[in-house]
Amino acid sequence: MKKSIYTSSLTLLLIGTLLTGCEDFLEETNRQAISIPSSRENAESFNQLLNYIYEISRDNTTRYAPDMLYVLEDLGTDIVTRSSPLTGTDAINDYVDMNASNYVMQVYWANQYQIIAAANTLLENADLIDGVEEGLKSRGVGEAKFFRAWSYFKLVENYGGVPIVTDPITTAKSDFTRAEEQEVYDLIVSDLNDAINTVDENPEVYGTVSKDAARHLLSKVLLTRGYKSFAAPDDYERAISLAETVIANHPLEPTFAAVVDIENQRNDEVIFSYLFGSESSSVGWGNTKHLLYKFEYFNYSGLERGTLYQNGIGRMPTPYFFNMFDPEDTRNEETLRYVIYADVAEDGLEVGDTAIYFPKTAWSQARIDSKPYTVINPHEYLVNDGVTNVHFPMFKKFDDPGAPFVYANERALGDRDMIMMRGAEAYLIAAEAAFQKNDLDAAATYLNTVRSRAGLTTPLTATDIDITLILEERARELIGEVNRWMDLKRTGTLVSRVLEYNPHAALNNAITEKNLLRPVPQAEIDASGKTISQNPGY
Amino acid sequence: MRKLLQLRMLRPIFAILVLLGTEVSQANTYVKFYSSYEQKSISGVVYDADSGETLPGVTVNIKGSNTGTVTDLDGSFEIKAESGSILVFSFVGYVSQEVIIKDQTSLSINMETDIASLEEVAIIGYGKVKRSNLTGSVSTVSSETLEKTNKIDAVSSIQGQVAGVTVQRTDNKPGSGGFNIRVRGANTINSGSGNGGYSPGQNPLFVVDGIFVDDISFLNPADIERMDVLKDAASAAIYGSRGTNGVVIIQTKKGKEGKMSIRYNNYVGFKEIYNLPPVFDGQSYIPFLRDVVVGNQFASNKDGNFSQYSAAAVNIEDYLSEEELQNIANGVSTDWVDLITRNGFQQNHTLDLSGGNENTVYAAGLGYTEDEGTTYGEDFKRYTLKGNIQSDLTDWLTFGYDNYITLATTNEGSLEAFRSAYRLKPIGRAYDENGDLLFLPTQKETQVSNPIFDTKNWKLENKYINFIGNISLSIKPLKGLSITTKFAPNVKYTRLGEYRGLYTKSAIGNQSSTRAQVDNFLDYSYTWDNIIDYNKDIDSDNSIAATFIYSRFLQENESYNIQIRNFSSDNFLFYNLGAGSNINSYGSGFSKQTLESYTARVNYNLMDRYILTLTGRYDGASVLSEDNKWAFFPSASLAYRVIRENFMNSQKVFSDLKLRLSYGQTGNNGIGGGLNPLGTLSLLNSSYTNLGDASVPTLFVSGLANQDLSWERTSEVNVGVDFGFLNNRLTGSVDIYNRNIRDIIFFRPLPTATGFSGTFDNIGESRNRGIEIGLNAKIIDNDNFKWNTNINFASNRNEIVNLYNNSNEIIFGAQGGTFIHRVGEPTGSLYGYKYDGIWQLDQAEEAATYGQKPGQVRVVDINGDGQITEQGDRTVLGNPLPKWTGGFTSTMNYKDFDFSFFVYTSQGVTISSNFHNARAFSYDGEPARLWNGYDTNYWTPDNPTNNWFQPGNGGPYQQAIKNMDVSFVKVGFMTLGYSLPTSTTEKLGIKRLRLYTTVQNPFTFTDYDGWDPENAGRNTYGAAFMSRTYMAGLNFSF
């Protein structure tokens, strides 16, 4: 009896103590991710780190945050305003109480630095990953620098001098300080020159960065720097020369219709696009452009939420924009939809009948009353009738038929290519640089090429050229495609043109010179322990 | 056993009765009593059987009569009794004794300690001690209290009951485990936390029958024998790295020796919503709309001439559709809240049986709980099944097996209905003229749909099965030595199924937005404890008890999820995922964490007067980085039972007095602070993007890892006194503590220039200082009427004392606003502009210098520089943790009736109110869209109040007015019960039958006019109503 007691006790003690010898009991088990050191053993990691730069850059471009699309690119400019009646206030569009706690300021800032961090991670690991073929390595490094430069360009134009981060951060570092604007430009130009030297002239894989993409971006950067106090003397000259090269490689499509045709989205004019595809795993958030510049059309007879006209996500072109087109300018009809057809039988309308019509010149009430469909005259786009906030010719330029109907905070899943750079802009960059150099004939020539493609038959002459005309041409050709806010800021016309042409901003009359820089996000300043300083006036 | 308990409960009543019948000076001697029978005087002394010391305060009663006395300070008593009568000796913490009077005149009684006695034992983790010998700060909630509070869930049962334990309910949906529980204030508040700065990650460790669990909602409160809260670090130190946030030890009901006993408890009732915040009805919405339009005119004003605007001049037809105007003409006033709410039915049935002999005890039970939400579509059903057996296989070998199985189904209903009901204009209609439901209340409102559809077409069902169990083997090789090994698994399988049908707010009639989502979770953990206990009485004055533990804990969590969209029929819910055409998202996950620890505790008792406890735990955690895995947590505590000193015999004030002093350390390995397994490793995650029309894999750094992350450590000094006055008619304890936390683990926000939002870091040191008072008074105690009152009070002062990295503040955002850790201020204080009133018309010029207009919120220009800036004018506004909390329970018994009520309070809480954020005012910048809003005395040109800003013109600092004090006093319950008298129950052959009726949460007193002040910071998405419950039930045993 005694013996068995002791035996049992000893057994228990042994279980309790011997098993403590399992040293690995406290080791972590990793089944969800790859550690950085182990990734370096696989040459494929290089490609995958590089691919991520494309992914994050694409997804942070197509949206800022789940319900925020491009708002710092064209809201609060001369050609786009908020889609609400002429009352109230707004921080982004009207510049009323725009402050450092505004969420979009934080999101936009952080988004660019996420892209920069992804680029820095690749650059850091390029030489540490085993077995990466040299050609691939130098090309990849160039692509990473291209995206890094692009992000810094957005940062420096929106916020002024920003902290320059060129290495991956691996510690709890917080004491960042802002560099001078000029230093940021130096980095951008240097990165883009590196990119031009190392990326492919004609990439094998569609959607990757080509030399022309880097040239195009650099020409725009140099054009922008040309206006600055720290401009290099040959900035405009180089901008033109880079644009010329790009133009030579990316000739204009014969018609504007061909440019926006979804069946023709991979044409020669395209320099760089983000690709989405329809695979759930790789589509990301999806292209969101088809959702924009729409009103709540589905509140009208014969219309319902659908996959053709997409959601009525706000922001509308300004009356100034609607009046900007010459009658023979094909870009008007290719950009905007003046007729909306019924997609449900309702109130006497059959599917396919006209549901809403926007005459370009006002119809009489009698003529309107004679129609079974809704007619909205040009002066009524912004008039509040108690039913809907605004109604106006919606965009069709970015249409993506078949993409699911979604709300602003949901994955848009548009699979149309998102064209970020095309030859027509190279002409406009060259035109502006030539104008700044006072080479008005050259400027007229560049502009005329673009205009005649749009169907305009009367050529401009040197005396016609001014910055207003260049900006209007950019608006007609590129609305929704390029960053209008940065165009206005660059040309020094932001405050005056917004007050003149943006009806909501004009109502509140709040924009001032301080708004040429966005407020640095307060959370960023707070997190830095205040080593990051604020822009004047915020 | 039940009978014994009842007797014990009656005992003090007799004692007090005796006392009341005497003059105070005689209170400690004896009571004269008169009888017509022949009586003789009997005297004697009562001793503690263990220590041999005399026992004062023992009640001596003649069985079956109202006559009795109590022993004096020498343990002596004298009583007159007739021959043949039975004397009953009883004293809390001791086994009662009965002695038949024959011809004795002098008695010597030895009372045995009743180690199983509920009130007088404290559970201390891997063991228990007599409360009189307790050295730390441990509060106990007994099954009597649990029965009285009668809550659906176990956590609610302790709300307000324990000084120093703050329980905040974050979710009013039935079946949800949404609670924030803080023991002695917050150690840290984390930036990722929701619900107004709180985060459940810092809840205390729950130990149910020796098993670590995160959440105790799976327990039927009726199955709980007791809950012990280890509050001071010395007590919690035995749980080492898991003990920082306090420990709640829960024991479920076990078998007891004796004849088989069967109990059945139930209640049925219903609950109704109350305390609804004011919003507009159809009639008052119109003037509100007019005021909003004027507000917009004020906001856009440029010339400073505000007198040109008037509400009367507003043409509402500019803002309302024809349909809306027609509705107004028809007097439509829809109360959306009323349309989605009901009285929710509630019931609980608990049946259990227990019994045993001297070798084997057993218990088994079955419980069913049903709780219908007050919003249609919400309900909760829980089945619990338990069984346990413990058997002495031989005199040296004991075997035990326990299990507790829960099957629960929660229907959360729609996550939108609550919010929609408050958003929708009251001038929209729920039904058309034919009485058919309208999906959109007006043609114009295309975003927020009729919430009635949501309650029908949105299904969110959470189903789980939870098993906890343990199997143990215990050997006693020598007297005083036992060796136990105990293996306790905890397995939970959860399935979350959701379907959002075509006609819900989520899909708005758009088929491609219909969605089914299924999440599966398999959570598996075990605790394996090996315990050696040794007890030795060295001599009559010295005894020692030692415990050594080797313990392992392993937890693995797996998750699998998929979301499919675009269903052509709502029929399938989430049971036929193949019927949807679009795979929206899918994923899976795995995480694992382990703990390993070596623990020792030594308890030394000198003369039952001085008791010393030493504890040490050497603890390893997988979650920390390679070099920081192990840490040691020591503690020491001392109790001095002053009442046992000889010099106390001469005083008459104290009937009990004990001093306690403790020092202890505990740790936090970051799990409580939100650190995930692998969180100290820098890892690459993968995804896909599209290049060249192909899906290509991507790799990215998933987070900024901090390999230097180390243990957060808490060290605490606790000084306590336990006392009893007036022969323990007034008892209580006071504890004061100073708790220092260093190396606080915090998700430190970093500039996003790093590419990341932040990282876990040891950021600094903080201190909690506080006082806790618990009092129990038998105010009236006579034969027919007894009145017992229990009060607890706690106040905690928290302060950051140091931040590392040479900064004196860390500002961070969390749900509910901006918070700050600032040296000298409480951890995680609300930070922002300070409300200073409303700019009035006669201040228009001054307002203009700040770029503001009359009617807008004015904030304090703290640095007085004539402008309001983030840098210069933000300040600490308050804290989401209460300055003090209290609870008050009063129980009255009159003959066979009992009445009790319970009140608790939370004071000094400041939160950014979500009701006011959401409802004041939505779309007031777009009058045509204007949603329903907060009906309050707001500013208008004709009503120059400082109460609330002008709608449509809140100005840039309107958030400042929405930070508010949400202090409250709530009545937790009021219960009236009737027990069948013993004479009747004996005839019926039953032990006990009590009928009762209760109102749960009948009243709330608060100045806060939002929804439930308890969760004022909670987001409205998925929120539910505060309610009161009327119920009736019975307690039956035989």
Side-chain angles (χ1 to χ4, degrees), chain B residues 681-701:
Chain B
L681 298 177
S682 201
L683 295 169
L684 295 170
N685 242 314
S686 61
S687 177
Y688 286 88
T689 191
N690 187 307
L691 282 174
D693 286 328
S695 282
V696 294
T698 66
L699 265 184
F700 60 96
V701 181

Side-chain angles (χ1 to χ4, degrees), chain B residues 60 203 656 779 1035:
Chain B
V60 186
N203 284 349
D656 189 12
I779 297 170
N1035 309 119

Side-chain angles (χ1 to χ4, degrees), chain A residues 1 15 19-20 25 28 32 34 48 51 55 101 206 266 282 299 305 384 386-387 389 411 522 524 526, chain B residues 318 396 444 446 528 552 584 589-590 594 598 678 684 687 692-693 695 697-699 752-753 870 874 926:
Chain A
M1 190 65 181
I15 293 167
L19 277 170
T20 65
F25 186 70
E28 302 216 73
Q32 286 205 280
I34 298 163
Q48 296 179 7
N51 291 345
E55 182 184 0
S101 295
Y206 192 84
R266 303 258 168 103
S282 57
N299 294 338
R305 293 172 162 85
N384 183 41
V387 174
N389 286 328
R411 291 171 74 194
Q522 189 61 37
E524 197 75 1
D526 289 346
Chain B
D318 290 347
W396 53 270
K444 184 169 128 186
T446 53
W528 181 37
R552 271 187 175 186
N584 188 270
F590 171 80
T594 52
Y598 301 87
L678 302 166
L684 295 170
S687 177
D693 286 328
S695 282
T698 66
L699 265 184
T752 52
E870 311 250 6
R874 288 185 297 173
E926 283 180 42

Side-chain angles (χ1 to χ4, degrees), chain A residues 80-227:
Chain A
V80 177
T81 188
R82 61 185 161 103
S83 51
S84 50
L86 270 175
T87 59
T89 61
D90 182 76
I92 303 301
N93 187 71
D94 302 5
Y95 300 87
V96 174
D97 303 324
M98 180 187 277
N99 64 52
S101 295
N102 196 297
Y103 182 50
V104 64
M105 302 306 165
Q106 173 68 55
V107 169
Y108 193 72
W109 171 289
N111 279 0
Q112 306 317 317
Y113 276 108
Q114 282 174 2
I115 299 165
I116 292 165
N120 288 340
T121 300
L122 181 100
L123 295 172
E124 165 94 357
N125 283 285
D127 290 326
L128 301 174
I129 298 171
D130 297 337
V132 183
E133 185 254 312
E134 280 306 317
L136 169 63
K137 192 195 287 182
S138 73
R139 172 173 71 77
V141 164
E143 291 169 49
K145 287 186 172 178
F146 168 84
F147 285 107
R148 186 167 76 178
W150 202 354
S151 286
Y152 274 117
F153 184 43
K154 292 177 188 172
L155 283 170
V156 74
E157 281 300 285
N158 278 278
Y159 300 96
V162 292
I164 291 180
V165 183
T166 52
D167 294 311
I169 304 294
T170 55
T171 60
K173 179 174 165 62
S174 63
D175 54 345
F176 293 90
T177 53
R178 296 175 62 181
E180 293 295 321
E181 254 188 60
Q182 185 173 359
E183 298 172 81
V184 181
Y185 267 93
D186 289 347
L187 173 68
I188 295 167
V189 171
S190 143
D191 272 354
L192 288 173
N193 280 326
D194 288 353
I196 291 169
N197 288 334
T198 57
V199 302
D200 288 349
E201 186 72 55
N202 296 299
E204 260 175 63
V205 178
Y206 192 84
T208 48
V209 174
S210 65
K211 284 192 195 300
D212 282 329
R215 287 178 189 128
H216 183 86
L217 180 57
L218 182 57
S219 77
K220 194 167 181 176
V221 167
L222 294 175
L223 169 66
T224 309
R225 192 172 71 175
Y227 286 86

Side-chain angles (χ1 to χ4, degrees), chain A residues 1-2 4-6 8-9 12-13 15-16 19-20 22 25-26 28-36 39 45 48-49 51-52 54-55 58 84 87-89 97 99-101 106 109-110 113-114 117 121 163 165 169-174 176 205-208 266 275-277 279-282 296 298-299 305 384-387 389 404-405 407 410-411 413 506-509 522 524-528 530 532 534 538, chain B residues 296 299-300 302 318-321 324 394-396 443-444 446-447 475-478 483 485 506-508 510 512-513 515 526 528 530 532 550 552-554 565 582-584 586 588-590 592 594-596 598 620-623 629-630 677-678 680 682-685 687-693 695-701 704-705 749-756 759 761 809 811 870-871 874 925-928 956:
Chain A
M1 190 65 181
K2 276 276 182 210
S4 62
I5 296 174
Y6 291 129
S8 308
S9 312
L12 283 181
L13 277 171
I15 293 167
L19 277 170
T20 65
C22 302
F25 186 70
L26 294 182
E28 302 216 73
T29 307
N30 182 5
R31 289 274 176 256
Q32 286 205 280
I34 298 163
S35 74
I36 289 177
S39 75
S45 298
Q48 296 179 7
L49 289 171
N51 291 345
Y52 181 68
Y54 282 88
E55 182 184 0
R58 178 192 71 181
S84 50
T87 59
T89 61
D97 303 324
N99 64 52
S101 295
Q106 173 68 55
W109 171 289
Y113 276 108
Q114 282 174 2
T121 300
V165 183
I169 304 294
T170 55
T171 60
K173 179 174 165 62
S174 63
F176 293 90
V205 178
Y206 192 84
T208 48
R266 303 258 168 103
L275 313 187
F276 297 90
E279 266 189 58
S280 175
S281 62
S282 57
E296 293 174 355
F298 40 77
N299 294 338
R305 293 172 162 85
N384 183 41
D385 66 354
V387 174
N389 286 328
F405 181 96
Y407 295 95
E410 297 179 306
R411 291 171 74 194
L413 299 175
L507 171 77
N508 283 296
N509 194 24
Q522 189 61 37
E524 197 75 1
I525 295 172
D526 289 346
S528 76
K530 306 199 172 150
I532 296 176
Q534 184 53 277
Y538 291 105
Chain B
N296 276 285
S300 303
K302 275 185 284 198
D318 290 347
Y319 306 96
L320 297 170
S321 67
E324 288 171 320
T394 70
D395 58 352
W396 53 270
Q443 287 165 22
K444 184 169 128 186
T446 53
Q447 189 180 342
I475 299 168
K476 297 188 182 69
L478 297 169
I483 302 170
T485 184
S506 178
I508 305 277
N510 170 33
S512 66
S513 296
R515 67 168 78 171
Y526 70 74
W528 181 37
N530 297 283
I532 303 171
Y550 168 69
R552 271 187 175 186
F553 173 74
L554 176 144
R565 296 202 185 184
N582 170 16
I583 301 173
N584 188 270
Y586 51 87
S588 61
F590 171 80
K592 177 182 162 184
T594 52
L595 288 173
E596 190 170 20
Y598 301 87
S622 62
V623 72
K629 284 194 191 301
W630 288 90
L678 302 166
T680 64
S682 201
L683 295 169
L684 295 170
N685 242 314
S687 177
Y688 286 88
T689 191
N690 187 307
L691 282 174
D693 286 328
S695 282
V696 294
T698 66
L699 265 184
F700 60 96
V701 181
L704 184 53
L750 293 174
T752 52
T754 56
F756 304 96
T759 188
D761 198 6
E809 59 186 39
I811 301 170
E870 311 250 6
Q871 285 86 340
R874 288 185 297 173
E926 283 180 42

